[in-house]
């Protein structure tokens, strides 16, 4: 079974430029998560989707970040414009359902963003 | 809100040494507790979990017991191997973290031959 796929794996951009990250979850997983992982810290949730609906985007900086999950399968996270402080690893995860607290989340390898 | 605190790292051990990585949490209600591991260049993988008080999660020789009285979920392994070198994250789900994982800051483990 294929795991969570993310692309690109690495991205280097100059500040004020836009950038987009793509995630394809495990087939059949209704719940998709985007996490931000700063260096030396644990991941922090940015947004959670149940199918195509964003059910928790309270931590997403909406002035520059946006996300979509059209058709409830793959998802794109966008930053426009990027700032130096956005340099981090962006992780995508999926799980069979967000209902219930026991579900394991399956993580992709992440996209490492460097903003110069 | 919920939070997870891990012991300060990094941790460096010789092969076959005993490992303990401390994890304590603050949460309302009855969260589920997890240990995730991140090997170099890979995504996070679930190592073990426990969903109620006194449960013991175990996998690959690692163990952790859900201690509600001390709000702890310490990770242990009796004899580490070089291949265990990775970053270990304690996490919880539930209470005010419903539907998401709240992670600790991670502990880097390096095992030398």
């Amino acid at each position: 079974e294929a795991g969570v796929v993310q692309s690109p794996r690495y991205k280097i951009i100059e500040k004020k430029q836009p950038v987009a990250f793509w995630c394809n979850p495990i087939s059949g997983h209704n719940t998709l998560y985007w996490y931000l992982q700063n260096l030396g810290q644990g991941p922090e949730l940015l947004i959670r989707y149940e199918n195509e609906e964003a059910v928790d985007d309270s931590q997403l900086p909406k002035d520059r970040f946006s996300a979509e999950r059209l058709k409830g399968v793959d998802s794109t996270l966008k930053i426009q414009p990027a700032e130096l402080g956005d340099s981090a690893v962006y992780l995508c995860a999926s799980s069979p359902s967000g209902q219930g607290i026991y579900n394991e989340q399956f993580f992709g390898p992440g996209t490492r963003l460097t903003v110069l | 809100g919920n939070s997870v605190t891990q012991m300060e790292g990094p941790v460096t051990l010789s092969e076959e040494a005993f490992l303990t990585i401390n994890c304590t949490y603050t949460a309302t209600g009855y969260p589920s507790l997890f240990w995730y591991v991140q090997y170099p260049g890979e995504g996070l993988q679930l190592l073990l979990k426990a969903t109620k008080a006194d449960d013991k999660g175990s996998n690959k020789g690692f163990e952790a017991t859900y201690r509600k009285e001390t709000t702890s979920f310490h990770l242990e392994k009796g004899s580490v191997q070089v291949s265990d070198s990775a970053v270990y994250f304690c996490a919880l789900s539930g209470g005010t973290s419903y539907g998401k994982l709240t992670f600790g800051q991670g502990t880097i483990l390096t095992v030398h031959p």
Side-chain angles (χ1 to χ4, degrees), chain A residues 43-45 56 59 101, chain B residues 1-5 23-34 66 68 71 90-105:
Chain A
E44 298 177 352
L45 182 72
D56 184 357
Q59 301 303 309
I101 61 175
Chain B
N2 293 349
S3 66
V4 176
T5 302
C23 171
T24 57
Y25 68 90
T26 301
T28 57
Y30 302 92
S32 291
L33 301 174
F34 306 84
Y66 188 163
K68 188 167 177 63
T71 62
C90 186
L92 67 81
S93 177
T96 57
S97 292
Y98 184 85
K100 71 177 184 182
L101 289 167
T102 297
F103 286 89
Q105 71 269 34

Side-chain angles (χ1 to χ4, degrees), chain B residues 81-96:
Chain B
Q81 305 301 311
V82 173
S83 58
D84 294 326
S85 298
V87 184
Y88 292 81
F89 292 92
C90 186
L92 67 81
S93 177
T96 57

Side-chain angles (χ1 to χ4, degrees), chain A residues 9 33 35 37 40-43 45 48 56 59 91 98-109, chain B residues 30-32 34 36 38 41-44 46 49 51 89 93-95 98-101 103-106:
Chain A
R9 290 293 307 274
Y33 313 79
Y35 286 88
Q37 185 176 16
Q41 298 182 24
L45 182 72
R48 173 168 67 98
D56 184 357
Q59 301 303 309
L91 298 169
Q99 302 299 319
I101 61 175
Y102 315 120
N103 287 323
E104 172 184 354
Q105 294 183 22
F106 297 81
F107 284 81
Chain B
Y30 302 92
S32 291
F34 306 84
Y36 276 79
Q38 188 172 33
E42 299 183 16
L44 279 80
L46 179 66
K49 68 179 181 183
T51 57
F89 292 92
S93 177
Y98 184 85
K100 71 177 184 182
L101 289 167
F103 286 89
Q105 71 269 34

Side-chain angles (χ1 to χ4, degrees), chain A residues 5 15 17 27-28 32 35 40 44 59-60 62-63 69 73 93 102 104-105 109 115:
Chain A
V5 178
K15 63 181 180 182
Q17 294 300 305
S27 178
L32 184 146
Y35 286 88
E44 298 177 352
Q59 301 303 309
L60 188 72
K62 298 181 182 63
D63 56 336
R69 192 185 184 196
V73 181
Y102 315 120
E104 172 184 354
Q105 294 183 22
V115 181

